[in-house]
Structures are given as structure tokens and as C-alpha cells.
């Protein structure tokens, strides 16, 4: 019964997200001819559905830990503020391309749109691999019971592979949706990610045994060989 309830909550959340995303993409455009949005929404939808289905079958506890999300789920005031700002920026990231499309402000070449969709797909793949490697990848900053440091898979390359994958997705989104204007909220989201992961590292260094040693071993936080 509990498993069925978890599945219903997970699928309800996924469906709500995808419907909301569709509305944010197409309502400002006031057109169903926004082909860049169709490709992006299809990619986003397939990725969310496959990831949800996979982990409901293989690791429902991961799904359970990720259901409480957003500013309201965070415990620290600073994280509530960061999450609120990032949520607003994400909404703008989804709304602006439709306005841009209707107004004809940007002209992103088709090859750049396709390349951006491929990068977005890679971003989703990195997130999936991170979830598969670390079942304690919660949607909020916390340390779970019996949690240990994970240093294998994508965690051997950067300390925050989930944020790395999400950052690829976010940075690719303006180009995938054919909007140079949307680069502004995308960069604001990346700034939020950087501030969030720095605070998360401070928290984990105190509350997760072995994390300081892991940081010394895996030097790069987000971008391999850069930072």
C-alpha cells in the first residue's frame, strides 16, 4: 500500500511538472508552432518519465527522499531564500523563450538548437547516473540515516555531479528554446547553484563523516579541471 501511495505521489508530481512546463512554454508564445519548445518539452518529458519509472522500480527510497522539494522543504533560512530565487529564475527561463518567439527578437540557428538539445540530454543522463550512484541524493540539504560518502562513478570526477548535470541542462535551455534573452535567468540559476553547493559543502563537512577527506581527494566541485 505504501509503495502504491509513493508511486501515485511521484507520478502526480511528474505530471504536474510537465503540464506546468507545457503551459509556461506555449502560453507566452501563443502558438503551437513553437517547434523548439516541442522538441525541448518532449526531451524533458521522456527524461522525467524514464527516470521516475526506473527509480520507482529499483530505489523507491530515493524517490521518497526527493518528493519534499522547493523552498518550503528547506530547513535553513538561507537555503529557503536561494531556492526561492532559483524557482523564480526557472519560471522566467521557461516563460521568456515564448515571449521571445512571439516577438521575434532572437534568431538561434537550427544547428545550435539541436546541439543544445543534445547537451540537455547529456545533462539529464548525468543526473540519472548520479541518482543511481548515490541513493542519498535528497532534494534538500540533509544527511540521511546510515549515509556514507560516495566517491565512485560521477563522484570520482566532481563533488557535485547532480548540480553539474543540472547546470548543463539549464545552460543549454536558452539555445534549445531559441532564445538569447533566456540566457539571463539561466545564469542567475547557475549563480544560485554555486552558492547552494558551497553552503552544502560546509554542512556536509560538519555532519557527514569522511566528507573532508573526500574533498581533498576529489578536487573539483562542479566543472572538471576548472572548479
Amino acid at each position: 500500500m505504501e509503495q502504491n501511495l509513493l508511486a501515485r505521489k511521484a507520478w502526480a508530481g511528474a505530471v504536474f511538472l510537465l503540464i506546468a512546463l507545457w503551459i509556461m512554454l506555449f502560453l507566452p508564445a501563443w502558438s503551437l508552432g513553437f517547434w523548439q519548445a516541442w522538441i525541448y518539452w518532449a526531451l524533458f518529458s521522456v527524461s522525467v518519465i524514464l527516470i521516475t519509472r526506473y527509480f520507482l522500480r529499483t530505489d523507491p527510497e530515493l524517490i521518497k527522499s526527493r518528493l519534499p522539494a522547493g523552498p518550503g522543504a528547506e530547513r535553513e533560512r538561507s537555503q529557503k531564500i536561494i531556492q526561492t530565487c532559483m524557482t523564480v529564475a526557472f519560471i522566467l527561463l521557461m516563460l521568456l523563450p515564448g515571449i521571445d518567439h512571439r516577438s521575434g527578437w532572437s534568431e538561434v540557428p537550427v544547428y545550435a538548437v539541436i546541439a543544445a538539445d543534445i547537451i540537455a540530454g547529456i545533462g539529464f543522463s548525468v543526473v540519472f547516473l548520479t541518482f543511481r550512484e548515490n541513493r542519498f541524493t535528497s532534494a534538500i540539504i540533509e544527511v540521511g540515516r546510515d549515509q556514507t560518502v560516495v566517491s565512485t562513478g560521477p563522484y570520482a570526477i566532481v563533488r557535485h555531479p547532480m548540480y553539474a548535470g543540472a547546470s548543463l541542462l539549464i545552460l543549454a535551455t536558452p539555445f534549445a528554446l531559441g532564445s538569447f534573452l533566456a540566457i539571463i535567468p539561466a545564469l542567475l540559476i547557475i549563480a544560485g547553484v554555486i552558492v547552494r553547493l558551497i553552503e552544502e559543502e560546509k554542512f556536509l563537512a560538519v555532519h557527514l563523516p569522511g566528507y573532508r577527506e573526500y574533498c581533498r581527494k576529489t578536487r573539483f566541485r562542479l566543472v572538471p579541471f576548472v572548479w
Side-chain angles (χ1 to χ4, degrees), residues 66-149:
R66 296 200 60 79
L67 286 179
E74 294 289 349
R75 299 186 178 94
E76 299 294 329
R77 183 173 180 273
S78 60
Q79 288 300 324
K80 289 180 182 291
I81 295 172
I82 293 170
Q83 284 276 43
T84 299
C85 293
M86 290 174 66
T87 299
V88 172
F90 179 79
I91 292 172
L92 288 175
L93 178 62
M94 296 298 113
L95 292 176
L96 286 177
I99 298 172
D100 197 343
H101 175 81
R102 184 170 62 179
S103 303
W105 293 329
S106 297
E107 292 186 13
V108 178
V110 174
Y111 71 83
V113 173
I114 302 302
D117 283 317
I118 294 172
I119 293 172
I122 294 172
F124 269 116
S125 299
V126 173
V127 171
F128 167 76
L129 292 174
T130 302
F131 288 166
R132 194 175 66 174
E133 197 70 26
N134 183 8
R135 64 186 313 237
F136 293 100
T137 313
S138 173
I140 62 175
I141 295 178
E142 63 179 359
V143 172
R145 182 184 300 177
D146 301 324
Q147 181 171 347
T148 57
V149 173

Side-chain angles (χ1 to χ4, degrees), residues 15-26 40-41 44-45 90 94:
V15 170
F16 175 82
L17 171 64
L18 297 179
I19 291 175
L21 180 63
W22 191 94
I23 292 172
M24 287 189 291
L25 289 173
F26 289 97
Y40 182 86
W41 185 78
F44 203 104
S45 299
F90 179 79
M94 296 298 113

